[in-house]
Amino acid sequence: MHQMHGTGETGAVQPAIELRGIDKRFGAVHANKEIDLKVDKGTIHGIVGENGAGKSTLMSILYGFYQADAGTIHVDGKLCEIKGSEDAISAGIGMVHQHFMLVETFSVLENVILGVEGGAVLRDGVDRAREELRRLEREYSLDIDPDAIVGDLSVGLQQRVEILKALFRGAEILILDEPTGVLTPQEADHLFRILETLKEQGKTVVLITHKLREIMAATDNVSVMRQGAMVAHRKTAETSPEELSELMVGRKVLLRLEKGDANPAATVLNVENLCVDNAQGVRKVKNATFNVRAGEIVGIAGVSGNGQSELLEVLGGIRSATEGSVELNGQDITPGKGIDAAELRRRGVAHVPEDRHRMAMVTAFSAKEAAILGYQDDPAYQKSVFLDWPAISKATANMMAEFDVRPDNPDLKAANFSGGNQQKLVLAREIMRDPELLLVGQPTRGVDIGAIEFIHKRIVAMRDAGKAVLLVSVELDEIMSLADRILVMCDGAIIGEVAASEANERVLGLMMAGVDPNEAKAVEGQA
Amino acid sequence: MENFELVILLLDATLRTSTPLILAALAGMFSERSGTINLALEGMMLGGAFSAAAVAFYMDDPWIGLLAAIATTIALSLLHGFACITHKGNQVVSGMAINILMSGLTALVGIALFAQGGKTPALDKAARFQPITLPGAEAVKDVPIIGPIYFELLSGHNILVYIAFLAVPAAWWVMYRTRFGLRLRAVGENPGAVDTAGIGVVAMRYRAVICSGVLVGMSGAYLSTAQGASFLQDMTAGKGYIALAAMVFGKWRPFPALAACLLFGFLDAAATRLQGVILPGIGEVPVQLVQALPYVLTVILLAGFIGRAIPPKALGRPYVKER
Amino acid sequence: YAGVASAAEIKPAVVYDLGGRFDRSFNQGAYNGAEKYKADTGTEYRDFEIQNDSQREQAMRNFARRGMNPIVAIGFSQASALEKVAKEFPETKFTIVDMVVDLPNVQSVVFKEHEGSFLVGVLAAMASKTEKVGFVGGMDIPLIRKFACGYVQGVKYADPNAEVFQNMTGTTGAAWNDPVKGGELAKSQFDRGADVVYHAAGGTGVGVLQAAADAGKLGIGVDSNQNALHPGSVLTSMLKRVDVAVYEAFGAAAGDSWKPGLTILGLAEGGVDWALDENNEKLITPEMKDAVAKAKEAITSGSLAVHDYMSDSACPM
Amino acid sequence: MSTTVQLPRWIDVGALPLLNLLLALAVSGLVVLAIGENPVEVVEILLYGAFGYEEAWGYTLYYTTNFVFTGLAFAVAFHCGLFNIGAEGQAYVGGLGVTLAALYLDFLPFPIMLVIGMLAAMVFGAAWAYIPAYLQARRGSHVVITTIMFNFIASSLMVYLLVNVLRPDGSMTPESEQIAENLRLPFIHDMAAALGIEMASSPLNLSFVYAIVASVMVWLFIWHTRWGYAIRTVGSNAVAATYAGLEPGRYIIIAMMISGALASFMALNEVMGVQHRLLIDFTAGYGFVGIAVALMGRNHPFGIFLAALLFGMLYQGGAELSFEIPTISNDMVVVIQGLVILFTGAMEHMFRPRVTKIYTAWRLRRDAQEAA
Ligand SMILES: Nc1ncnc2c1ncn2[C@@H]1O[C@H](COP(=O)(O)OP(=O)(O)OP(=O)(O)O)[C@@H](O)[C@H]1O
Ligand SMILES: Nc1ncnc2c1ncn2[C@@H]1O[C@H](COP(=O)(O)OP(=O)(O)OP(=O)(O)O)[C@@H](O)[C@H]1O
Ligand SMILES: [Mg+2]
Ligand SMILES: [Mg+2]
């Protein structure tokens, strides 16, 4: 399995980075297993892997953010002891983290000079830094106002600040951890052009992503990680998306789930001109109008951060609608006045939220306590004014059996279950209520392959039982294999609908970038 | 003219009463801007006041007393840091613990050393900070308006008063114009950013609480060796909390915090003078109302009715990298 | 011989008020009395400094339960606690200073503070060069207004044109133990022109006298002889002989002459007085000495009546 | 695969807190040594003072009563993720409620007054907790700071009322009138006497029974009702609570009001039970002891009861101590209290990694042996 097509075969070039036997555990999680990696100077090197494969961990070790339990790091052929980010920086390594490491209340300039102020008094360094920043901006066309407050900038611009930070520190090696997750395709294209320029200047780039498209388009070499291990190295030119995806998941990927045709019946969910503002008053969902019928799965695709989360949360009753209406089986259930998550559940809306840890469970609870979250008022769980723990235990055991949750111990702390088993427990809790409408967000995020298949099957089973399902996922594959109809969201608006049969990645990708559906299909037609 | 005099005198007293608040509020600011809640100001102030009085008594020198106070409060800051930064303990709990501990310990040690019911013996002149007459104060004493302002109000305080007022621009400068300040503010907003910039978060936070200790030590020493002449059990009587309130009221910034301290100091000075006094036309003002005003105002501010007080983002959260 | 025997039998106890035995004032007076009794007779005694109000009762009960007898409670705040405990232990003798508790096993000792205050008022007025003098009270209660009222009368007696500034420190027990505030108040009075300040503020007064010494003005002590605190800066002290009260209570109990009921100690009884010693002799001119002696004579003989604030809750001045 | 194992319950809630407590007591012993006294003697006196004679028991349990209430008050708020530092003020204002009811409704018969007194305390205490709760829930003002402020505000308010309103004419002490006989909680020794049992007189009164009942009720409420479940959900994960249809603000307010009501029961003990009048500062820091008690008792009523007993013992024994050894005042107890909060609260994680490591090593070896 471990076919090491060492990039070292190219021989002459000294690798910019070489990792040997890097091993890292977080408590029970074995995040990196004896990883070897060589990155050639002056190349763009991709690292792919599924969620939780250990990509970020590996790169954070290289950057000195985490300490490896074992293994060595070599930079430019020299053994380099990286005890903290300080050492990494002085070894010429810069990193743009998946979650930006910026001080939002600071200006761009302050963020850039943090740690390299150039003197105990700021004034001395600031002017020089401003000069240097201007040069970098010109050189890499990274336009930005150095005095803008970072918190006011868009994510795309914030990312630019991160890149500037690294360059300012004289980074020769730049690591970018999932830089495109929050970008529109256009912004991503711009980023790739910048990376190209960096490469021309002789810098080395490590690009982490799990989007194969980006790997194929931007990198020279690619390494694949799976469940904490490095499973393969390839020259990008000599591989294909199919091979990479197979390597990523460890077997041939079923691009289509085996499922029958949908038999849509009456409309269950009807959403009319729905608008949602967040706490800051920014409109996150704009005039969403769509419906979901009984017996179908409607998927919502989009780059993360384009309003899908807010849409799901408002339908689940976690947020209030600002404008517009929502109907369930013809009855008004617009979340807000008097209609909250509890009321929606009573009316038959089940909700598997996107973020398991943040929302779907209380990790400090035992499994049985987690198993009644949201249904704590259910009379079946009450005995006079008290909670009926024996009954709850039994119900939990039932869920665990039905959804194959392991270990099947209702008294175990929720935190002690693996991610996939936690997710199965959440699904069991929501699905076994036999709801009218199932809202599911990112059902397989950070879940192992076996569980993914199981979860997908259960969702399809719901549909086949004549229930309405609304699925939000940023994984196009998941959307395309599960959904019967696909809505695409961009910048808070639903910009179009595609039948699953007509959908392909290119069309969806263009639409996710905000291209009008008809135009997108036309472009596709030309191609 | 009579009223002018009275106002000058009241302001004069305000300077004296707000001095310990200013020092302690700045202390709180250094700690909290770096992300460590410092409820322990009260206890540290008490510890500082005790050490200053006890050492000044033995050594007959207020400066050595001041050093002892600062050493004590730095030690307490390190204890707070050890609990909150190193062991990632709850910062509120640690602060309360230090307050309670010091309330008991100062009295206990005081009794053991001096057997005077927790007091320290009265300090004579040489062991206390004495008033300083500013140059030319005597000369302008009798000039109208300027005379009272310069002679009564500005001159004639002890050195710690002047230090406290100079500490404000100094703190501002350190906070906003130096590398140390930049890093300190950054570590209170997003320790991750500081860490990835190659700066140690833990060390940075320790430095911040040490700064906090230095300042609050001076504030304690002021109480027992400058304003007062001995240590008394629980002599801070909530001043640490008022300073905390002033810091919150000043939105964690030096100059607004100074303004809040002056306001609270003024209320205190006024309340002292109003006790049992019947004001013509108004009758007796309930002093308790004036005394409660700082707290009431702070609550109103916190409730967001007079602007928003936005604390540093990482305040109260220990820096945890690996779960 | 009999005296020694019975003296050895008593197990006296003292419960001080907030401020404690070293407040250099009121409570310390009691401490001095007890210490003197111990030195004179060799009788050991127990004492307790309360830290908060709820401890009073427990302290007295604890003493009573251990068979301490007599138990002397210092300060008016002890009254309600003492009332309760005295009922529980009818065999134990209780003496309370500064308050009246009407029970068959309680002796109440109160002083004519207004008379003593009158005398120091006379001295204050005569020592003042600005014709402005001050008064700093502890807790704002009738008892302290009684001090103030006597003092004002004395000042006006000596100098009808003199002005008296009056401030109280607070309304709770904490006002007895806040020298910093006391100092602040004294300073504010000096700033307004006063050059002699009299305090009746227990521990708080330490700050008043300190402020006077710092500012080169004169302070007047209270309860104990405080002249030695800042020699040359304390004009005199209004003596309230709590020490005598305690000493007498111990002695009476030992000699079986202890009687319940009310004891009022004024100038005539030697219960209040003014202090003259080597620390302040330079401050007291012969004229002052004469004037105060004359006033004292007049009061003891009854020809000069000092108004007692507590008799009608009002001060004529 | 995993290098660490979950600690068993007995270590987690038993051995670890005990270790921290022992450390706190050891440091207290060092303090005693440092001031030149003998820790063994101190412990002996403490124990004698707390349990050595019949009356001492009464006092110990009387203090315990206060600490159970303030400990429970802290714990209930804590389960909702809130640090209620305001038990002191809430109890103080609760005392006002009892006193007002007692002074103005003294014509009512005893059994009704028992209930009314309790209700008055609860309403006042809960109302005082309501404002910080509301500000936290609806305006995001941090409850730690606001409750601290409210302690001071309560103190000023009560001084004002006691000095200007409640003090009877002619009285010098700022305290209210005595409350009527029919309003006083019966002393346990009187109740025992009525049953023909002779007991030493002590301030222990009916409210001790309330404390036990309250402990059981809090236990039932927190772990066996859906409201308790809701409070714990909000406390551990407010986002998840919203997801579950539990509006966090609502439960924050409920938890804080229950907390305030529990704190006010302390006033019941003090005002209706022991002092029979409203005294200045009658709360005497008991509210802060509640923090130590709750942290030590791991916010579980049973643990709280044990911790409260420990502190009751320290308080009563400490009073004895200051009678016996003049250099050791009651402040020793305050020092111990501070150290207990420091070690069992702020530094609770200090030993955990090490203990986990040791336990894991032991487990792995045992597992290996079993496998072999
Ligand atoms: N700080 C941490 N503490 C504990 N566990 C962690 C930590 N960071 C990551 N993990 C765990 O380590 C494993 C690898 O995580 P990592 O973030 O490296 O994955 P990734 O490949 O970057 O995934 P993604 O695509 O989601 O970013 C996961 O199981 C994760 O839960
Ligand atoms: N990673 C880095 N890359 C480049 N220069 C750095 C880096 N870290 C620090 N410096 C520079 O090295 C010098 C010393 O930095 P250092 O972090 O040791 O500061 P310091 O002595 O701890 O001072 P202070 O505590 O005031 O920040 C400074 O001029 C700083 O700007
Ligand atoms: Mg990652
Ligand atoms: Mg540095």
Side-chain angles (χ1 to χ4, degrees), chain A residues 52 54-57 98-99 177-178 208:
Chain A
K55 310 179 292 284
S56 298
T57 304
Q98 189 171 3
H99 308 285
D177 192 353
E178 294 197 21
I208 301 179

Side-chain angles (χ1 to χ4, degrees), chain D residues 17 21 291-299 303-304 306-307 310-311 340 344:
Chain D
L21 178 66
I291 303 174
V293 165
L295 290 173
M296 232 184 88
R298 291 279 147 139
N299 293 296
I304 287 173
L306 291 182
L310 177 80
F311 272 97
V340 167
T344 64

Side-chain angles (χ1 to χ4, degrees), chain B residues 169-193:
Chain B
W172 175 86
W173 186 78
V174 168
M175 205 60 114
Y176 292 98
R177 289 290 179 267
T178 66
R179 175 174 71 204
F180 175 69
L182 183 81
R183 293 175 175 189
L184 188 145
R185 285 181 289 131
V187 85
E189 290 289 336
N190 184 355

Side-chain angles (χ1 to χ4, degrees), chain A residues 26 29 31 50-57 66 98 178 210, chain B residues 321-323:
Chain A
F26 292 113
V29 179
E50 288 194 298
N51 291 118
K55 310 179 292 284
S56 298
T57 304
Y66 296 137
Q98 189 171 3
E178 294 197 21
H210 51 230
Chain B
K321 262 210 284 200
E322 308 190 11
R323 274 166 281 144

Side-chain angles (χ1 to χ4, degrees), chain A residues 24-32 47-60 65-66 98-99 177-178 208-210 225 227-228 356-357 419 445-446 475, chain B residues 320-323:
Chain A
K24 177 72 179 170
R25 289 168 192 271
F26 292 113
V29 179
H30 202 164
N32 283 165
I47 297 183
V48 284
E50 288 194 298
N51 291 118
K55 310 179 292 284
S56 298
T57 304
L58 183 66
M59 289 302 119
S60 294
F65 191 67
Y66 296 137
Q98 189 171 3
H99 308 285
D177 192 353
E178 294 197 21
I208 301 179
T209 179
H210 51 230
M225 287 185 75
Q227 289 179 14
R356 192 160 59 234
H357 283 126
R445 182 182 271 178
E475 308 290 333
Chain B
V320 184
K321 262 210 284 200
E322 308 190 11
R323 274 166 281 144

Side-chain angles (χ1 to χ4, degrees), chain A residues 86 89 115-119, chain B residues 179-180 183 207:
Chain A
E86 218 167 333
I89 293 170
V116 283
E117 298 85 348
Chain B
R179 175 174 71 204
F180 175 69
R183 293 175 175 189
R207 287 191 213 179

